[in-house]
Amino acid sequence: MLKHKRQNVLAILYDGGKAAEEEPRLLGTVENKASRNGSRARDMNSSVSSSKEGADSDFQKHIVDAEVLITTPFHPGYLTRDLIEKAKNLKICITAGVGSDHIDLNAAVDHRIQVLEVSGSNVVSVAEHVVMSILLLVRNFVPAHEMIERGDWQVSEVARNAFDLEGKVVGTIGAGRIGYRVLQRLVPFDCKELLYYDYAPLPAAAAETVKARRVEDLKQFVSQCDVVTVNCPLHEGTRGLVNAELLKHFKKGAWLVNTARGAICDKDAVAEALASGQLSGYSGDVWNVQPAPKDHVWRTMKNPLGGGNGMVPHYSGTTLDAQARYANGTKSILENYINKKDQEPQNIIVGLGKYESKAYGQR
Ligand code: NAI
């Protein structure tokens, strides 16, 4: 569905269909494109498409000429090293949102292509989703609601696996913008303890505010948690981090929430841990491939009692409030680029020939 033929700016967004026609605030869609309010940006040739897979996709055909690439994590255009090598004019990749792992960042460093994201734009949106997901798993909400839709009423069937969050130990892998906001939001729930695992320690005052304790060994960390929430970027050091081996160290029957990136958790190991009851629940909105295939095991996996699945499509960070913020942020990154102005330092993941962010692994 390419809208223009020649371009300097290539944007890969998702099709919004009827919803986008009816709701103009769906700015992350092809129809209402994320940077549409651009002023000088409008003078550039731009192409907007959702077609991103395979050699004949608009993405792969037009990346060859593009100078600016705009993508969104919600419908990721996977910019591999191979594609980067073909993209001779590419200067800057802008992620409309947070999380640029769909771009081969090491290849971007090697080819002096800058990668920027709209840091902070949707971190509250995700933190709220995490708290909701923790609650819906711990309280066994989904099976209880499904029972009601079916017309049944058997309280014991759902109460047998419902608990309070109060008194539980909750830990976050990654205590950056989202992880810390999750901890802040959990304070009033009177959890037994809040833990975090991150190579970057929280400033002492911030840790003290939420009374969070750092655990430096990952196995020891997960073995103490009733609930683990994943809030770190996907990079070489986190791909497959939660795998069959680590899951053995989880408390039996723990709950796992991952709104960071699907590939941080091993797909089959998670499904097996849920089926065996090693995990009581798994919830999140991110998948190892997006869109997730119809037969993806995470769509239907269940714990031995038939519940414990809180999966949704990737939307926690794309509420209408978040879309307004990341559309504005995308526009201002694009305008800074066109006008040769300095970029906001916190938005720069990869600068010219080097990582500027410390969040994508220890180097
Ligand atoms: P951030 O950069 O503020 O924080 C990330 C934290 O993770 C940093 O403190 C970093 O030190 C830590 N970290 C990195 N590698 C680690 C490792 N191996 N072990 C433990 N900690 C590690 O990023 P922010 O804004 O909190 O976002 C985190 C991630 O959440 C994004 O990179 C993205 O993948 C995901 N996200 C998902 C969204 C959604 O809609 N589901 C929306 C926004 C972000």
Side-chain angles (χ1 to χ4, degrees), residues 73-74 97-101 117 119-123 125-126 129 172-181 197-202 218 230-238 241 258-261 264 284-286 290 313-318 349 357-362:
F74 307 102
V98 172
S100 300
D101 51 275
E117 56 188 48
S119 295
S121 56
N122 51 14
V123 295
S125 322
V126 180
H129 194 100
T172 174
I173 299 180
R177 296 179 184 87
I178 296 173
Y180 189 70
R181 280 165 180 75
Y197 170 83
D198 194 319
Y199 55 70
L202 283 169
L218 185 57
V230 185
N231 297 295
C232 59
L234 173 63
H235 54 76
E236 306 95 304
T238 59
L241 187 69
N258 175 16
T259 54
R261 284 295 176 261
I264 297 172
D285 66 329
V286 286
Q290 294 187 185
H314 190 171
Y315 85 114
S316 72
T318 193
I349 304 303
S357 167
K358 293 191 174 17
Y360 282 80
Q362 289 172 291

Side-chain angles (χ1 to χ4, degrees), residues 7-11 59 62-71 79-94 103-104 107-108 111-115 337 352:
Q7 75 289 324
N8 292 328
V9 180
L10 173 62
F59 177 41
H62 296 284
I63 193 66
V64 179
D65 301 318
E67 179 179 338
V68 177
L69 174 68
I70 299 176
T71 53
L79 190 66
T80 58
R81 183 175 282 273
D82 258 16
L83 286 179
I84 285 183
E85 278 163 10
K86 290 182 192 148
K88 301 289 182 210
N89 297 326
L90 189 61
K91 299 278 190 307
I92 181 169
C93 301
I94 307 174
I103 291 163
D104 186 324
H111 290 266
R112 296 178 66 79
I113 294 166
Q114 297 185 68
V115 181
Y337 174 75
L352 283 174

Side-chain angles (χ1 to χ4, degrees), residues 146 271 274-275 282 287 293-303 306-311:
E146 287 169 350
L274 191 62
Y282 184 89
W287 305 71
K294 277 203 161 38
D295 61 352
H296 197 292
V297 63
W298 285 6
R299 287 180 184 265
T300 51
M301 62 185 177
K302 297 276 193 297
N303 66 24
N309 184 329
M311 290 306 294

